[in-house]
């Protein structure tokens, strides 16, 4: 049916097995440029997860980001292995509609890390749910190129602590 459709329901209801208050990923203050016009630093947060757990932990991270006040259009979720179920769902409406959502920028966008379209979002959630260690390391570098403020890595990808210019050392958060 052509035309706008109502927002689809969330993939899964909030988990009832969480104890205590939800852990929030705080929204940072607006990025401040350092003297000399250098790029603002990108914060890297790591969530320990096996490839089988990575999607669930990524969904939890997205929920925490939204609960902390992030705009859904500021979040990009990239998968290293199999496509996220939400991406598969959106692609079922056709590629044209899927890519139009990226251009509209009004909601969380799910894509394969091999994404070739130019896109930068404030937050990138990298889901290491498969692939080789080399592909995961490549994905980490690519995800850094898509974010302007925060990279949340769910799984094992990239260096444990980066010392490259423009990035902050990673810190682990439990999921």
């Amino acid at each position: 049916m052509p035309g706008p459709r109502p927002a689809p329901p969330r993939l899964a209801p909030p988990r009832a097995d969480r104890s205590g208050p939800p852990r929030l990923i705080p929204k940072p203050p607006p990025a401040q440029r350092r003297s000399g016009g250098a790029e603002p630093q990108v914060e890297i947060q790591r969530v320990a997860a096996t490839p089988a757990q990575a999607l669930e932990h990524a969904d939890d991270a997205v929920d925490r980001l939204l609960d902390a006040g992030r705009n859904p259009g500021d979040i990009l979720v990239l998968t290293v292995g199999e496509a996220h179920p939400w991406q598969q769902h959106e692609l079922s409406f056709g590629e044209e509609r899927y890519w139009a959502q990226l251009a509209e920028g009004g909601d969380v966008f799910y894509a394969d890390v091999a994404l070739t379209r130019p896109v930068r979002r404030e937050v990138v959630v990298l889901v290491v749910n498969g692939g080789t260690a080399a592909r995961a390391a490549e994905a980490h570098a690519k995800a850094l190129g898509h974010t302007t403020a925060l990279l949340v890595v769910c799984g094992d990808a990239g260096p444990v602590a980066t010392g490259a210019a423009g990035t902050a050392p990673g810190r682990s958060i439990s999921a």
Side-chain angles (χ1 to χ4, degrees), residues 97-168:
R97 180 67 201 132
Y98 172 73
W99 291 114
Q101 288 181 351
L102 174 63
E104 292 164 4
D107 205 353
V108 177
F109 191 78
Y110 296 85
D112 185 278
V113 76
L115 175 72
T116 57
R117 299 190 182 219
V119 59
R120 286 183 58 86
R121 296 265 173 112
E122 189 174 303
V123 179
V124 173
V125 177
L126 179 62
V127 185
V128 186
N129 59 333
T132 64
R135 183 156 195 261
E138 204 173 280
H140 184 272
K142 190 165 183 181
L144 276 171
H146 288 293
T147 186
T148 61
L150 174 63
L151 172 61
V152 179
V153 181
C154 298
D156 189 19
V160 172
T162 64
T167 62

Side-chain angles (χ1 to χ4, degrees), residues 30-34 37-43 120 147-149 165-168:
Q32 297 176 354
R33 291 191 168 268
R34 295 178 288 185
E39 288 293 316
Q41 288 192 333
V42 172
E43 180 182 353
R120 286 183 58 86
T147 186
T148 61
T167 62

Side-chain angles (χ1 to χ4, degrees), residues 52-107:
Q53 300 168 324
L55 276 172
E56 180 180 349
H57 289 305
D59 288 341
D60 290 344
V62 169
D63 286 343
R64 288 191 305 271
L65 289 161
L66 295 172
D67 289 345
R70 296 273 185 181
N71 179 345
D74 291 340
I75 302 171
L76 173 65
V77 178
L78 298 174
T79 54
V80 175
E82 184 178 330
H84 190 284
W86 197 250
Q87 177 187 0
Q88 294 171 9
H89 170 78
E90 291 299 329
L91 279 167
S92 72
F93 295 103
E95 291 239 355
E96 186 176 317
R97 180 67 201 132
Y98 172 73
W99 291 114
Q101 288 181 351
L102 174 63
E104 292 164 4
D107 205 353

